[in-house]
Amino acid sequence: MTEDEMIEHGKELFEKCYDGIVPLPEPVDPKAITGISLKMFHDVWGNEDLSFRDMRLVVLGALIGLGADKSLFEIHASSAINNGELTGDELRAVLLTAIPYCGYPRASILHPVVEACIPKMEARRAERTAD
């Protein structure tokens, strides 16, 4: 597969992963962060050994464990609900499960993020299915 084909496939997976929550990076330069990111989507999110849902769970757990910026967690939490990969209750369970492994301070600060994104993304999803 050529580099351009990898980037095009990465664009498709990026759109599937974020469904408009995060805009597709433009312009795409194969040797800059935009191209590298899209090739990562091709390689990682294009790996069919894990479902999108399973990959999302890994990413959410990693973000909690690393104490990553709340906005990154919110993007993936919102995308998981928006794409039907997780329900609100499952997302809450992700946080509860992370507490003994990642620590209460890292997981608990994400509770307001989760509680804010659940109704917003459930409403967005309902609007899309109503159309």
Side-chain angles (χ1 to χ4, degrees):
M1 183 175 275
T2 68
E3 186 174 57
D4 288 341
E5 291 170 330
M6 290 170 64
I7 288 172
E8 284 306 310
H9 185 234
K11 284 181 180 180
E12 293 168 20
L13 292 168
F14 185 97
E15 289 292 333
K16 180 180 176 183
C17 181
Y18 296 124
D19 191 30
I21 291 172
V22 176
L24 187 65
E26 293 293 341
V28 175
D29 178 346
K31 302 300 182 209
I33 192 72
T34 52
I36 292 167
S37 295
L38 291 172
K39 288 183 274 187
M40 182 272 307
F41 267 88
H42 163 77
D43 290 340
V44 176
W45 289 88
N47 179 342
E48 295 180 358
D49 291 334
L50 292 176
S51 68
F52 251 62
R53 180 185 192 278
D54 292 345
M55 282 188 273
R56 187 81 67 191
L57 287 167
V58 170
V59 170
L60 288 168
L63 292 172
I64 296 167
L66 290 169
D69 187 89
K70 290 179 188 178
S71 64
L72 292 174
F73 183 85
E74 182 179 10
I75 288 168
H76 281 279
S78 296
S79 296
I81 293 171
N82 184 59
N83 293 341
E85 298 154 2
L86 295 174
T87 65
D89 287 340
E90 289 170 328
L91 186 55
R92 289 179 185 106
V94 167
L95 279 183
L96 289 175
T97 303
I99 289 171
Y101 296 95
C102 302
Y104 184 83
R106 286 193 172 168
S108 67
I109 63 169
L110 298 171
H111 177 74
V113 173
V114 166
E115 292 306 321
C117 81
I118 289 171
K120 182 171 68 175
M121 288 300 108
E122 286 177 346
R124 183 176 194 250
R125 195 157 182 245
E127 285 175 17
R128 282 194 353 234
T129 57
D131 293 340

